[in-house]
Amino acid sequence: MSENQNNPLKAFFRKPGIWIKLPSQGKFYHTPLAELNAQGEIPVFPMTAKDEILLKNADALLNGSAIRHLIENCVPCIKDIDGIPAIDLDAILVAIRRATYGEKFEMSTECACDTKTTTEFVVNLDAIISSIKVIDEIKPIVMDDGIKVYVHPVNIKSLLNLNWIQFEQMRNLQLADQKGMSEDEQLKLVNASYDILLNTSIQSVADCIDEVLMPDLTVVTHKEHIREWATQLARPEFKKLEENLLSLSDLGINKKINVQCANCDKQYEATIDLNPTTFFG
Amino acid sequence: MKLLKSLEAETKAIIEDIATLALYSGQSYNELWNFTHEERLIFSKVLQSKIKIDKGIKPSQELTQGMV
């Protein structure tokens, strides 16, 4: 029996604010999800003031600890935070916002028309949650040379790592500019940053590949061989892999909203920005 | 920089919110950090009603917009 079940104060624990269906339905996790109900839903708890304040800490947001801590506290049935597939992350963030601040989410967008009019509107988060799609299978990516690549969605660890490295490289370049480095030195730094970003990006893509099926039906599952192959891919081929993996993140929830410009009356599509810095603001 | 300033301002607003609730309610400051946003709103509303009642103001005696 777990500690929670023995605790006489259990009845007074924080109550789940909402139950949601995860797009992955618990697939792709290394540790199985606890507390899945008969409908395949998991409980999501509202944020406490402690959680809210952590989301206001720029360092914690940048290094990913704010997101990890938030999910740990608000979605306790997920034990393997780093292994959460990105297709579930958006659904989880929307559910935490809904459980904490209610169903209305105010946002504004700018129309591409000449006046760049800003239109403000309210998004109903319940409607977004009810439209969460379950991902039954991920089709293999077919490369131009007939190779089939079987992948799983990128996970939070890779995503946060990539974000952090991008930020670090940008900061290094800014510092170099401020310190008045010579053009040659700056160029060296830019090249080094580019290499680091490229290698991290290749590693993230390679990590998502489960197996590669060659035209002669040979299957390659050796991680190091797959990484080496990904490193040697031509730019368009690698981009195809990368874009296919990134597009998986959009399968779970519909973040597109139709907006009518208040000035030119033109309808355009806006995307809900789930960046935690602004989404929970 | 603008974002950092806004994050700092929001942090201060939450701390002020919790400190106010703790001082006026007599509840533990640490305990209030475990309250959710909705709980804080309800707690604050109930606290305001209590303060008014303690001061002898009945809900029917409150000056509302309709009376102005």
Side-chain angles (χ1 to χ4, degrees), chain A residues 14 46-53 55-58 61 99-101 277-278 280-281, chain B residues 3-4 6-8 10-12 14-15 18 30 32-40:
Chain A
R14 187 165 46 132
M47 288 190 283
T48 63
K50 264 188 222 164
D51 304 323
E52 283 182 69
I53 211 120
L55 284 175
K56 311 292 176 203
N57 183 311
L61 281 165
T100 309
Y101 302 117
T277 323
T278 47
F280 292 102
Chain B
L3 177 70
L4 283 178
S6 112
L7 289 175
E8 265 177 36
E10 286 168 21
T11 303
K12 278 184 186 163
I14 295 176
I15 297 172
I18 300 284
N30 285 340
L32 283 164
W33 281 101
N34 294 318
F35 276 36
T36 65
H37 182 256
E38 201 182 350
E39 283 170 339
R40 295 202 310 269

Side-chain angles (χ1 to χ4, degrees), chain B residues 13-31:
Chain B
I14 295 176
I15 297 172
E16 202 176 315
D17 198 16
I18 300 284
T20 310
L21 280 180
L23 279 172
Y24 282 91
S25 69
Q27 291 297 308
S28 141
Y29 179 72
N30 285 340
E31 189 52 43

Side-chain angles (χ1 to χ4, degrees), chain A residues 159-170:
Chain A
L159 213 61
L160 293 175
N161 188 34
L162 201 60
N163 283 347
W164 174 245
I165 287 174
Q166 269 174 352
F167 168 74
E168 261 197 328
Q169 298 311 312
M170 260 175 55

Side-chain angles (χ1 to χ4, degrees), chain A residues 192-228:
Chain A
S193 287
Y194 180 75
D195 281 347
I196 292 172
L197 280 173
L198 188 68
N199 285 334
T200 314
S201 176
I202 290 171
Q203 189 59 55
S204 301
V205 169
D207 283 346
C208 294
I209 300 175
D210 293 324
E211 57 180 53
V212 178
L213 180 67
M214 299 202 293
D216 66 357
L217 302 182
T218 309
V219 179
V220 180
T221 53
H222 194 285
K223 282 283 169 200
E224 195 45 44
H225 291 167
I226 291 174
R227 201 194 63 78
E228 208 179 333

Side-chain angles (χ1 to χ4, degrees), chain B residues 38-60:
Chain B
E38 201 182 350
E39 283 170 339
R40 295 202 310 269
L41 288 180
I42 295 170
F43 199 81
S44 166
K45 197 177 147 193
V46 173
L47 194 61
Q48 279 177 30
S49 303
K50 184 189 176 292
I51 291 170
K52 279 177 189 163
I53 291 167
D54 288 350
K55 280 186 176 173
I57 304 168
K58 290 179 189 164
S60 57

Side-chain angles (χ1 to χ4, degrees), chain A:
Chain A
M1 208 181 265
S2 75
E3 266 181 38
N4 277 1
Q5 280 166 319
N6 285 329
N7 193 335
L9 293 169
K10 200 185 165 196
F12 300 97
F13 282 4
R14 187 165 46 132
K15 304 283 185 293
I18 190 169
W19 290 74
I20 60 154
K21 233 179 199 135
L22 285 178
S24 74
Q25 280 295 282
K27 278 180 249 168
F28 317 116
Y29 285 80
H30 298 303
T31 315
L33 300 178
E35 286 187 65
L36 260 183
N37 72 4
Q39 286 78 38
E41 296 171 325
I42 56 158
V44 178
F45 294 75
M47 288 190 283
T48 63
K50 264 188 222 164
D51 304 323
E52 283 182 69
I53 211 120
L54 199 67
L55 284 175
K56 311 292 176 203
N57 183 311
D59 287 332
L61 281 165
L62 280 168
N63 66 27
S65 66
I67 289 291
R68 287 190 177 94
H69 177 89
L70 180 73
I71 297 173
E72 201 176 280
N73 274 359
C74 297
V75 198
C77 73
I78 299 179
K79 305 292 176 207
D80 173 23
I81 311 281
D82 277 343
I84 295 175
I87 49 169
D88 285 350
L89 181 62
D90 288 348
I92 289 170
L93 292 179
V94 170
I96 293 174
R97 174 116 188 17
R98 164 65 185 90
T100 309
Y101 302 117
E103 72 207 56
K104 288 178 184 164
F105 171 59
E106 286 174 18
M107 65 176 273
S108 61
T109 61
E110 202 176 75
C111 180
C113 66
D114 293 340
T115 53
K116 304 251 180 249
T117 305
T118 301
T119 306
E120 288 181 357
F121 56 96
V122 176
V123 179
N124 187 324
L125 296 180
D126 281 344
I128 291 177
I129 289 168
S130 62
S131 68
I132 289 175
K133 284 189 205 125
V134 170
I135 311 302
D136 291 322
E137 60 158 349
I138 295 174
K139 289 191 177 125
I141 303 164
V142 183
M143 309 299 277
D144 293 344
D145 47 13
I147 284 179
K148 280 185 181 174
V149 186
Y150 290 84
V151 295
H152 63 260
V154 62
N155 61 27
I156 285 191
K157 190 181 177 184
S158 293
L159 213 61
L160 293 175
N161 188 34
L162 201 60
N163 283 347
W164 174 245
I165 287 174
Q166 269 174 352
F167 168 74
E168 261 197 328
Q169 298 311 312
M170 260 175 55
R171 192 172 54 182
N172 286 347
L173 293 178
Q174 278 173 350
L175 279 175
D177 197 35
Q178 284 167 9
K179 280 180 186 168
M181 275 186 178
S182 70
E183 262 184 42
D184 267 3
E185 281 174 321
Q186 284 199 29
L187 193 67
K188 269 185 200 164
L189 202 68
V190 169
N191 285 338
S193 287
Y194 180 75
D195 281 347
I196 292 172
L197 280 173
L198 188 68
N199 285 334
T200 314
S201 176
I202 290 171
Q203 189 59 55
S204 301
V205 169
D207 283 346
C208 294
I209 300 175
D210 293 324
E211 57 180 53
V212 178
L213 180 67
M214 299 202 293
D216 66 357
L217 302 182
T218 309
V219 179
V220 180
T221 53
H222 194 285
K223 282 283 169 200
E224 195 45 44
H225 291 167
I226 291 174
R227 201 194 63 78
E228 208 179 333
W229 169 72
T231 313
Q232 297 301 321
L233 277 175
R235 182 71 196 141
E237 290 273 275
F238 181 75
K239 209 172 170 193
K240 187 176 183 177
L241 267 181
E242 200 176 36
E243 281 173 358
N244 268 283
L245 279 168
L246 285 176
S247 68
L248 289 177
S249 313
D250 295 329
L251 293 176
I253 67 166
N254 181 17
K255 287 183 276 185
K256 306 273 184 211
I257 303 274
N258 280 327
V259 185
Q260 188 169 18
C261 174
N263 181 50
C264 68
D265 281 344
K266 204 180 109 188
Q267 286 252 353
Y268 64 96
E269 213 170 54
T271 307
I272 303 172
D273 184 11
L274 298 180
N275 181 344
T277 323
T278 47
F279 188 58
F280 292 102

